[in-house]
Amino acid sequence: MSDKRLFLLDGHALVYRAHFAFINRPLINSKGFNTSAITGFTRTLWDLMAKQKPTHIAVCFDPSGPTFRHEMMESYKANREEQPDEIRASFPYIHQILQAFKIPIIVVDNFEADDVIGTLAKQAEQEGYQVYMVTPDKDYGQLVSDKVFMYKPGRQGDEVEILGVKEVCEKWGIDRVDQVVDMLGMQGDAVDNIPGIPGIGPKTAAALLKQFDTLENLLAHTDQLKGKQREKVEENREIALLSKELARINTEVPIRFHAADYTIDPFDRDWLSEIFKELEFRSLAQQILGQEEEKPMAGTQGSLFDTAAFVSQDSGLAKHDIAENTLQTTPHTYHLVDTVAAQTALVTQLLAAGRVCFDTETTSIDANDAELVGMSFAIQPGEAWYVPVPADPSDAQDVVDRFKPLLEAPEVEKIGQNIKYDMKVLRWYGIRVAGKLWDTMVMHYLLEPERRHNMDYLAETLLRYKPIPIASLIGSGKHQKTMRQVPVQDIVDYACEDADITLQLFHRLEASLKAEPKLMELYEQMEGPLVRVLAEMEYEGVNVDADFLKQYSDELAEEIVALDDKIQAEAGVPFNVASPKQVGEILFDHLKIPYKKSKTKTGQYSTDEETMSEIAPDYPIAADILRHRGLTKLRSTYLDALPQLINRKTGRIHTHYNQTVAATGRLSSKDPNLQNIPIRTPEGRRVREAFVPRDSDHVLLAADYSQIELRLIAEISGDEGMLDAFTNGLDIHRATAARVFDTPYDEVDRDQRNRAKTVNFAIIYGAGATNLSQQLGISRTEAKELIDTYFSRYPGLKDYMEKTIQYARDNGYVTTLQGRRRQLLDINSKSSLARSNAERMAINTPIQGTAADMIKIAMLQVQKALQEGGFQSRMILQVHDELVFDTLKTELETVKRIILAAMKDALPGLKVPIVVEAGVGDNWLEAH
């Protein structure tokens, strides 16, 4: 590695790239400030400094005013959108961060950053430096040489890409890097509004340069061109030459490279720490500064920050009656309660409180496999009690039983953070936690579904307090202990703090929910009670036939081996089918299959599913490789993995339902994710055969909403055509095809129905003409005409979408029929990409969110009926629009009626008929 390595960063390009990398899920701090651009830029900068070890560095930015190119062409960059407000607000912080790092910031009036970088790069090259131009902008390729490289930072798992002369020429399809400007002169650059020659794209431009070498030589020999191409080139001669000059990076900017000005110096830690604290960059602060933020020690004389003045009004959380920007402190006292007398007295005190916040300390994050180490309780801020639970099972049960009257008291409300976990732990000790449940994680989720909801985040953003990290007690990595191995005295502060902090969070969040009556109603009637239902489902688990999974895995293993042999024979040479790189080389180099795309950022052929599916109809080896991949993934992800997740105590699999992840309100599952079991292929569907009843006296019953989202969009939009189709029991996709293609309903063919089905679901998810054209394999013009026709046939749907987007623009959010709210921070963004993403969310959220609310209401009603009726049948799975029950055969018909009624009537008063399909079987596949 050279000891003279200069890195020149294209500031504006990297900031924009960072901002749009988070466009679908922007990073918002507790003040409502979008930190996406700052976070991404800082991560890129630090990653570069830590891994590449530059000796010299600088960041170049564009000037605020016009440049010399605007004098050449007034409309240069005229089609660029106005800078988004979020990016504009980020630049002052980015400049401060660079100043704290002591990194030079270079701006030269009248010249863009690429001109400045080009000039410095060429000067430094002459002084023996290896220069790396850090940018995602491909135009820099014209500057590359033996000592000057393009450095494209990685993103979303991609590796860093460093391009030299060879890589640039391959990427552009040219012989020399100086031909980059010729290419741009011919094809233009839409981003910078460089016109180029109409009708000439990258492939044509590369072919013309192969023939003519330069743009000027092409213009001198237009007589060798034919037809419209000759006409276009000759008509746009001057424009092409102008375009080439606009694209040429100026390396004569009035600036000199003085090495001493660009050296890496120790950064200002205090200044950087202040900036990170203001922006709430906890992980970056720890990564870069290598230290935790200071906090008061939790103990008898510590203090908790007690303020909501730091919460933005825009965050949806109510402020409290304290002075703006003032910190109130509350002394707190934590007690160890380790005698029978003290524990008995504590139970009496807590029972009288009416509301109790509690938390458990255990030996595992898996509630179904954890031992109880202790319990903590709080009823007022600043005071909490810790009750240790012995390791001996009999002694442990004695302690838990002592608190049973409290935990099972229906009149005492229970408060917790992720209280579902604590309830499941206690079930293994014979405790069914009763009383109204207040889960601070779920409460915050309703108020701000897009944010994080873990206790550390809530404490730091709402209370301005950093809790004791668990790692300080049990360590991390291979030396990590369990809580059982930590001395009791060391646990007291940590455990009591959890209960204390959670109680304080509850008070903040309760006030905020009370200020939003619709959200409070949603919590009290749906999300709060659902915690108990999910705890029961997770505790019950589902029975899995491990022998079937083993047999099926062996069966697929044989087929995979046979497929591998077949693929090797088709290739004619041995290679690793599991290696995307080798697959690309075999298909496109060895077998000479035409490759229609650009290579990946690392210079490899893409062999993703889309690429392989395109060539599979004509090349059987591609189809075989796709099948090989699918079977291999199915085998490793499910057939071999699921048996490892069978609980040793129950012999069943216990998934964990996430209630606070999807902003639409949908549940998700993990460990394992049972909602992602594939159903589109016969092999994938067979995995469901492994899910079986608990014994021979039970069967599985599966109940599924039919086309619920399409029915709900008909209901919400009030479109007469869609409502009519559902009311009359018509096939909605066939009915849509009949309307869109002007074909009698009975004469709609399979292709028309499939197209209509694609359009129906594309509209729900806000897909435009480009997306639809890709899905249907038609031109964008055809797709646009299809969408226009669709909306002309369903005008109510079009009206709904326009009104919903306008409502979102006016209010900043949309709601489901039940009042669930989703904030749309980018709905009025000046960035068309950010705005269009927000518009799609605005259209989809009321539909998908209402569907999620419906099945949650149905789950609550079914669970209530099963419990009140004393039924032995159990609800064991929820997969989006489907519920699965482990049903006692003698209860089957009664339970089936209960389920169907609850699901159909979850939202009474709808105009659209709700259809629920139910099946029964000896495994999940049979029941589906």
Side-chain angles (χ1 to χ4, degrees):
M1 184 180 291
S2 169
D3 60 353
K4 297 170 68 173
R5 289 160 50 85
L6 170 64
F7 282 73
L8 299 170
L9 283 66
D10 185 344
H12 273 87
L14 293 173
V15 169
Y16 269 77
R17 170 184 176 274
H19 174 78
F20 287 104
F22 297 100
I23 198 67
N24 289 319
R25 198 172 181 86
L27 305 177
I28 312 294
N29 66 16
S30 69
K31 307 177 186 72
F33 184 73
N34 188 326
T35 64
S36 301
I38 311 170
T39 303
F41 180 87
T42 307
R43 283 178 180 167
T44 296
L45 176 66
W46 181 248
D47 183 73
L48 181 156
M49 294 176 69
K51 294 179 179 178
Q52 298 300 324
K53 308 296 184 185
T55 59
H56 298 71
I57 194 170
V59 181
C60 303
F61 289 96
D62 295 332
S64 58
T67 68
F68 73 92
R69 290 184 179 84
H70 293 90
E71 298 170 9
M72 297 168 64
M73 187 178 78
E74 189 176 347
S75 60
Y76 176 67
K77 292 192 175 182
N79 61 348
R80 283 201 175 182
E81 295 182 350
E82 188 175 345
Q83 189 177 84
D85 292 337
E86 300 88 348
I87 291 181
R88 183 178 293 107
S90 298
F91 275 116
Y93 287 102
I94 290 170
H95 286 168
Q96 285 186 51
I97 288 170
L98 289 171
Q99 289 165 5
F101 269 117
K102 298 183 181 178
I103 293 174
I105 298 172
I106 303 175
V107 181
V108 180
D109 286 343
N110 204 39
F111 295 94
E112 294 177 58
D114 51 0
D115 301 311
V116 177
I117 289 174
T119 300
L120 292 172
K122 292 305 177 183
Q123 291 176 6
E125 179 184 20
Q126 294 300 313
E127 296 184 24
Y129 282 80
Q130 277 195 346
V131 184
Y132 296 86
M133 304 175 293
V134 184
T135 178
D137 188 347
K138 65 183 187 301
D139 298 0
Y140 280 80
Q142 63 188 274
L143 299 171
V144 167
S145 70
D146 291 341
K147 291 185 177 180
V148 178
F149 304 89
M150 282 183 65
Y151 180 101
K152 298 181 71 173
R155 183 169 66 185
Q156 297 177 349
D158 292 336
E159 294 182 1
V160 167
E161 189 177 5
I162 298 177
L163 287 76
V165 173
K166 178 176 177 289
E167 292 80 10
V168 169
C169 290
E170 287 179 354
K171 188 172 286 289
W172 285 83
I174 54 181
D175 298 324
R176 306 182 313 277
V177 295
D178 62 275
Q179 290 177 314
V180 168
V181 288
D182 295 281
M183 287 281 289
L184 292 168
M186 294 182 196
Q187 72 183 48
D189 188 340
V191 175
D192 290 339
N193 203 32
I194 296 176
I197 301 172
I200 292 185
K203 290 183 179 179
T204 303
L208 289 171
L209 283 177
K210 290 286 185 188
Q211 182 178 356
F212 298 101
D213 192 58
T214 66
L215 172 62
E216 288 79 3
N217 198 38
L218 165 67
L219 298 176
H221 296 88
T222 56
D223 57 310
Q224 296 181 28
L225 303 178
K226 296 179 180 179
K228 287 190 176 180
Q229 188 180 75
R230 175 177 179 175
E231 182 181 324
K232 290 288 187 184
V233 171
E234 291 181 343
E235 284 180 356
N236 292 276
R237 177 186 301 271
E238 298 303 321
I239 290 176
L241 291 170
L242 174 61
S243 296
K244 179 175 178 177
E245 288 309 306
L246 288 168
R248 189 189 304 278
I249 293 176
N250 188 333
T251 59
E252 300 296 331
V253 173
I255 186 173
R256 289 302 306 170
F257 172 70
H258 297 291
D261 296 335
Y262 299 85
T263 55
I264 301 288
D265 295 323
F267 53 82
D268 188 327
R269 302 179 67 85
D270 292 339
W271 191 2
L272 209 53
S273 178
E274 287 293 323
I275 300 168
F276 287 172
K277 283 180 180 178
E278 181 177 350
L279 293 170
E280 299 172 8
F281 283 0
R282 285 169 288 276
S283 61
L284 275 173
Q286 187 171 359
Q287 181 183 3
I288 296 173
L289 301 176
Q291 61 185 26
E292 296 282 349
E293 291 181 42
E294 292 184 3
K295 63 177 286 286
M297 288 295 293
T300 56
Q301 298 302 318
S303 65
L304 294 178
F305 290 124
D306 183 20
T307 182
F310 287 82
V311 179
S312 166
Q313 289 179 322
D314 294 334
S315 71
L317 298 175
K319 291 193 174 185
H320 291 252
D321 296 330
I322 56 179
E324 191 74 33
N325 295 325
T326 300
L327 288 175
Q328 303 286 333
T329 61
T330 304
H332 57 271
T333 305
Y334 295 155
H335 311 273
L336 173 62
V337 187
D338 57 357
T339 67
V340 173
Q343 291 171 4
T344 302
L346 177 60
V347 170
T348 301
Q349 183 179 355
L350 297 177
L351 276 169
R355 273 182 176 172
V356 174
C357 180
F358 81 98
D359 185 49
T360 59
E361 302 304 332
T362 67
T363 58
S364 171
I365 59 173
D366 182 353
N368 291 310
D369 201 37
E371 293 179 17
L372 195 58
V373 175
M375 300 177 289
S376 53
F377 301 90
I379 54 177
Q380 63 184 14
E383 186 174 20
W385 296 264
Y386 177 65
V387 179
V389 176
D392 179 80
S394 178
D395 293 342
Q397 193 64 56
D398 288 343
V399 172
V400 176
D401 285 345
R402 209 164 287 136
F403 285 82
K404 187 170 185 175
L406 167 70
L407 295 167
E408 293 193 344
E411 72 278 8
V412 178
E413 298 180 7
K414 310 301 191 301
I415 302 165
Q417 167 78 10
N418 189 20
I419 200 170
K420 173 159 63 78
Y421 172 86
D422 307 294
M423 294 169 68
K424 287 192 297 178
V425 170
L426 290 167
R427 270 300 294 276
W428 290 102
Y429 290 82
I431 302 292
R432 288 177 177 266
V433 175
K436 187 174 183 178
L437 301 177
W438 294 99
D439 190 325
T440 49
M441 184 172 71
V442 179
M443 294 167 76
H444 184 255
Y445 166 73
L446 278 177
L447 289 160
E448 299 189 286
E450 300 281 0
R451 304 282 177 86
R452 288 175 286 165
H453 316 290
N454 63 74
M455 195 190 79
D456 284 357
Y457 173 79
L458 295 180
E460 290 179 43
T461 54
L462 303 187
L463 305 178
R464 308 297 286 181
Y465 179 74
K466 187 174 179 64
I468 300 171
I470 182 68
S472 67
L473 274 73
I474 64 174
S476 59
K478 62 182 180 180
H479 301 298
Q480 189 177 53
K481 301 180 290 187
T482 71
M483 211 63 160
R484 179 73 71 196
Q485 297 168 292
V486 178
V488 171
Q489 289 293 342
D490 293 345
I491 299 177
V492 174
D493 286 349
Y494 174 85
C496 287
E497 182 188 72
D498 275 357
D500 187 8
I501 290 290
T502 300
L503 181 65
Q504 295 196 46
L505 289 172
F506 165 73
H507 290 312
R508 306 292 186 277
L509 296 167
E510 183 190 34
S512 300
L513 284 173
K514 284 181 177 178
E516 300 282 354
K518 200 68 176 171
L519 293 181
M520 177 60 90
E521 180 182 343
L522 196 62
Y523 180 86
E524 293 189 309
Q525 296 186 7
M526 183 189 301
E527 296 292 355
L530 188 66
V531 172
R532 194 183 308 280
V533 174
L534 296 178
E536 287 293 319
M537 290 172 64
E538 293 176 16
Y539 176 79
E540 287 293 335
V542 59
N543 200 20
V544 173
D545 186 343
D547 291 337
F548 169 82
L549 289 170
K550 175 66 169 62
Q551 177 187 337
Y552 190 21
S553 176
D554 292 344
E555 181 184 323
L556 286 191
E558 292 181 8
E559 185 172 352
I560 290 167
V561 170
L563 265 175
D564 194 285
D565 292 341
K566 183 183 178 187
I567 292 166
Q568 304 289 343
E570 289 170 324
V573 293
F575 72 102
N576 182 2
V577 180
S579 166
K581 181 177 184 294
Q582 292 186 37
V583 167
E585 292 168 350
I586 288 293
L587 295 181
F588 305 116
D589 288 337
H590 178 68
L591 296 178
K592 306 299 183 185
I593 294 175
Y595 185 72
K596 301 177 181 179
K597 295 185 174 182
S598 300
K599 288 188 177 181
T600 65
K601 293 180 178 179
T602 54
Q604 298 178 16
Y605 293 108
S606 172
T607 60
D608 60 12
E609 186 173 358
E610 181 183 355
T611 302
M612 300 293 283
S613 297
E614 286 179 4
I615 63 175
D618 300 317
Y619 299 93
I621 186 174
D624 290 334
I625 291 171
L626 275 177
R627 181 167 176 79
H628 185 280
R629 286 179 181 175
L631 296 183
T632 301
K633 181 178 179 181
L634 186 69
R635 184 168 177 261
S636 62
T637 306
Y638 297 105
L639 305 184
D640 295 342
L642 286 175
Q644 306 303 314
L645 295 172
I646 295 175
N647 186 280
R648 57 187 174 82
K649 292 191 293 187
T650 67
R652 299 161 72 81
I653 282 181
H654 301 263
T655 189
H656 303 276
Y657 288 101
N658 296 313
Q659 199 175 349
T660 61
V661 171
T664 57
R666 272 194 165 192
L667 296 174
S668 61
S669 82
K670 66 175 184 176
D671 302 327
N673 182 350
L674 298 182
Q675 298 187 332
N676 272 3
I677 293 178
I679 59 172
R680 294 184 179 180
T681 64
E683 294 82 9
R685 285 193 289 273
R686 279 198 64 193
V687 176
R688 296 190 174 208
E689 282 189 51
F691 293 80
V692 295
R694 65 186 58 206
D695 55 40
S696 59
D697 293 328
H698 289 73
V699 290
L700 292 189
L701 186 158
D704 194 1
Y705 280 116
S706 173
Q707 299 175 326
I708 189 62
E709 291 187 359
L710 286 173
R711 293 175 188 272
L712 286 175
I713 198 170
E715 173 70 29
I716 294 171
S717 69
D719 184 273
E720 294 181 2
M722 293 193 82
L723 285 172
D724 182 68
F726 283 122
T727 301
N728 291 301
L730 300 179
D731 176 341
I732 186 61
H733 303 311
R734 182 177 290 273
T736 297
R739 284 175 172 268
V740 172
F741 300 117
D742 290 323
T743 304
Y745 180 83
D746 294 331
E747 296 179 18
V748 170
D749 61 33
R750 185 175 181 179
D751 179 65
Q752 288 174 322
R753 184 187 182 277
N754 286 339
R755 284 193 169 205
K757 181 178 180 179
T758 301
V759 176
N760 273 331
F761 286 110
I763 295 301
I764 286 180
Y765 291 99
T770 300
N771 184 286
L772 186 61
S773 68
Q774 293 170 349
Q775 290 190 56
L776 292 177
I778 60 178
S779 70
R780 190 180 184 283
T781 301
E782 289 178 285
K784 185 178 184 306
E785 289 175 355
L786 190 55
I787 291 174
D788 290 342
T789 304
Y790 183 93
F791 282 132
S792 70
R793 301 295 187 268
Y794 292 122
L797 188 57
K798 178 68 170 175
D799 185 56
Y800 155 75
M801 294 171 72
E802 291 175 347
K803 286 182 177 178
T804 300
I805 290 172
Q806 189 57 53
Y807 179 90
R809 286 175 181 156
D810 293 341
N811 297 278
Y813 64 87
V814 290
T815 63
T816 67
L817 290 182
Q818 295 302 105
R820 183 184 302 280
R821 181 182 298 177
R822 183 177 190 178
Q823 300 287 338
L824 299 168
L825 299 174
D826 290 324
I827 194 64
N828 292 309
S829 173
K830 292 175 182 176
S831 162
S832 61
L833 176 60
R835 191 172 61 251
S836 62
N837 280 340
E839 289 172 354
R840 282 194 291 273
M841 292 179 195
I843 293 166
N844 175 247
T845 296
I847 303 160
Q848 193 175 97
T850 298
D853 290 345
M854 275 190 73
I855 201 160
K856 286 179 177 178
I857 294 170
M859 291 168 71
L860 291 169
Q861 293 177 351
V862 170
Q863 187 76 356
K864 181 181 179 183
L866 293 180
Q867 288 179 345
E868 291 181 350
F871 292 95
Q872 296 181 48
S873 300
R874 296 288 183 265
M875 181 162 49
I876 56 172
L877 288 176
Q878 192 265 22
V879 181
H880 301 316
D881 303 326
E882 177 184 7
L883 297 176
V884 181
F885 298 82
D886 207 344
T887 312
L888 190 65
K889 290 178 180 177
T890 56
E891 297 175 351
L892 179 60
E893 293 306 316
T894 304
V895 167
K896 185 176 179 180
R897 284 195 297 271
I898 290 171
I899 294 166
L900 293 179
M903 292 180 73
K904 287 180 180 178
D905 300 332
L907 289 182
L910 300 181
K911 298 185 289 295
V912 68
I914 301 300
V915 175
V916 181
E917 299 169 344
V920 177
D922 289 327
N923 59 62
W924 189 8
L925 181 61
E926 282 185 13
H928 193 265

